[in-house]
Amino acid sequence: MDSASSDRPVPGQHLAPTVARSVKILVVGAFGVGKTTLIGAVSEIDPLRTEERITTASVGIDPGQPNKDTTTVAMDFGRITVTEDIALYLFGTPGQRRFWDLWSGLADGAVGALVMIDTRHLEDSFEVLDQLELRTKIPFAVVVNQFPDSPDYPLERVRAALDLLPETPIVECDARDRQSAVLTLITLVEHAMTFPVFQKVNA
Amino acid sequence: MDTEEYRDHPVRSYVLTSGRAHPSRNTLRPETLVRAVESRPVLSTAGRLERELVQLCQGTLALAEVAAYLALPVSLVAVMVSDLVDAGNLTIRSNHQAHVLPGKDILEKILDGLRKL
Ligand SMILES: Nc1nc2c(ncn2[C@@H]2O[C@H](COP(=O)(O)OP(=O)(O)OP(=O)(O)O)[C@@H](O)[C@H]2O)c(=O)[nH]1
Ligand SMILES: [Mg+2]
């Protein structure tokens, strides 16, 4: 494993000694919607990647298949030191069914999720949204990532097509642009503030 | 990142963690912050990976970062971290409990920080 030594954090990649708390936001969405791009645009470190092996038989790819098989699920992530004592982690995972079990564990304790949408393939996001609503209670905001050939749908039409609740935020963004990506995070955290589960002030 | 080595040895994670597949502490999450305890030398019986892990944590890092730098899965690194915390070589920096959501005060601080970016 030569990579372990060459990938060693260089000075500055460790968190400041004042950081004593971490929070996380998930970035989910279908293949190629721009999850890694958005994370890279806001992260203070180069996005990192970690892989997990999961047993496909246990996550419902082939329920009738007695021979367990394994598959690898990659997670890209980045980090922002938002205050001198809080680090915000952004974890990006794909939206396929076989990854959902991995997600629900990831969702525990999360502030919320950004659900990235590509309007050229709107239907790819239906299942992601369904599963997020069914399997987790976490706040989410829908982020419409703009590609050069994206159709010019008004956001309210996208909202209707996705059957979003009236209170669910939906915003456009250019995932490559830092300020645009930061705005999506602000939108999500503002939305999370309205959720009763976060009302309690930690001691 | 080289994950081939791991992929080629499906039983490796069990061997490395002395046969236990689950971390003893279910409080460890990918975002949990860990740091080496400087005054505590790593036991001579510790393996190369454990030493490397403690070495990485000379400053604060999240579990997921440690996993990425070691090119190992988060679930495996959680087991190693858990053992190293028990051995006194690592300390958990993040002072919140698993399952406890951040309070509104924390969200407000995050918002303030994001608005300043
Ligand atoms: N024009 C434009 N291109 C983008 C934008 N966001 C991402 N891309 C491009 O779209 C491609 C896919 O982006 P990624 O960030 O890798 O998408 P992903 O969701 O991480 O993809 P997977 O991890 O494979 O599911 C890349 O070539 C990006 O450069 C955007 O906002 N505008
Ligand atoms: Mg990606």
Side-chain angles (χ1 to χ4, degrees):
Chain A
M1 212 180 311
D2 297 325
S3 61
S5 40
S6 56
D7 288 342
R8 194 173 284 287
V10 296
Q13 285 186 313
H14 284 127
L15 286 162
T18 47
V19 176
R21 171 165 199 125
S22 56
V23 288
K24 69 181 160 191
I25 284 175
L26 311 187
V27 181
V28 300
F31 271 129
V33 290
K35 301 179 292 290
T36 306
T37 304
L38 182 136
I39 291 167
V42 291
S43 179
E44 68 196 19
I45 54 170
D46 286 338
L48 294 169
R49 159 170 293 235
T50 164
E51 292 181 351
E52 204 72 33
R53 290 170 61 92
I54 55 171
T55 310
T56 50
S58 68
V59 293
I61 279 186
D62 267 319
Q65 234 256 48
N67 294 328
K68 289 190 174 185
D69 205 352
T70 57
T71 188
T72 303
V73 179
M75 176 167 83
D76 286 321
F77 64 99
R79 173 187 101 190
I80 311 169
T81 303
V82 280
T83 68
E84 61 169 17
D85 56 343
I86 304 173
L88 169 62
Y89 283 85
L90 303 174
F91 291 113
T93 59
Q96 278 63 29
R97 179 181 292 276
R98 62 202 163 110
F99 305 145
W100 291 336
D101 266 16
L102 198 71
W103 274 23
S104 39
L106 251 192
D108 288 343
V111 169
L114 291 177
V115 182
M116 294 190 74
I117 305 285
D118 178 348
T119 51
R120 298 169 302 177
H121 311 281
L122 210 52
E123 62 290 348
D124 290 356
S125 52
F126 293 170
E127 273 192 303
V128 178
L129 284 165
D130 285 348
Q131 290 298 311
L132 199 59
E133 286 170 337
L134 283 173
R135 295 249 217 155
T136 76
K137 295 186 186 71
I138 66 172
F140 65 86
V142 173
V143 174
V144 178
N145 200 13
Q146 297 288 32
F147 292 88
D149 54 337
S150 292
D152 200 13
Y153 296 135
L155 278 184
E156 286 315 304
R157 244 187 96 189
V158 181
R159 172 190 290 285
L162 295 176
D163 198 19
L164 301 180
L165 291 170
E167 59 270 26
T168 301
I170 177 166
V171 288
E172 279 174 355
C173 107
D174 180 334
R176 300 162 301 178
D177 181 78
R178 182 161 183 258
Q179 279 310 320
S180 181
V182 167
L183 275 176
T184 67
L185 294 171
I186 292 173
T187 302
L188 173 62
V189 179
E190 281 174 344
H191 180 51
M193 297 269 277
T194 68
F195 278 57
V197 286
F198 296 106
Q199 295 302 311
K200 191 178 79 57
V201 172
N202 291 137
Chain B
M1 191 167 303
D2 179 16
T3 50
E4 288 307 318
E5 187 183 346
Y6 177 71
R7 202 174 284 143
D8 288 343
H9 300 277
V11 294
R12 187 158 167 245
S13 65
Y14 297 93
V15 175
L16 284 169
T17 57
S18 318
R20 291 178 307 105
H22 300 286
S24 56
R25 274 155 218 264
N26 55 12
T27 53
L28 295 175
R29 299 190 179 285
E31 72 278 17
T32 301
L33 304 181
V34 296
R35 191 178 175 153
V37 176
E38 275 165 40
S39 57
R40 186 88 173 192
V42 179
L43 281 178
S44 54
T45 52
R48 181 181 60 85
L49 271 175
E50 278 80 3
R51 284 169 197 288
E52 210 169 331
L53 197 159
V54 173
Q55 192 59 38
L56 276 175
C57 297
Q58 296 306 306
T60 306
L61 289 175
L63 189 66
E65 289 173 292
V66 177
Y69 290 128
L70 292 175
L72 292 171
V74 171
S75 56
L76 169 56
V77 172
V79 177
M80 292 166 62
V81 164
S82 171
D83 287 348
L84 287 163
V85 168
D86 288 345
N89 294 117
L90 285 184
T91 176
I92 296 181
R93 270 297 267 145
S94 32
N95 55 1
H96 62 287
Q97 308 263 285
H99 304 292
V100 174
L101 285 166
K104 203 178 180 186
D105 53 332
I106 300 290
L107 296 194
E108 262 157 12
K109 286 173 89 174
I110 297 169
L111 268 181
D112 280 351
L114 288 172
R115 289 187 179 124
K116 285 180 193 141
L117 287 179

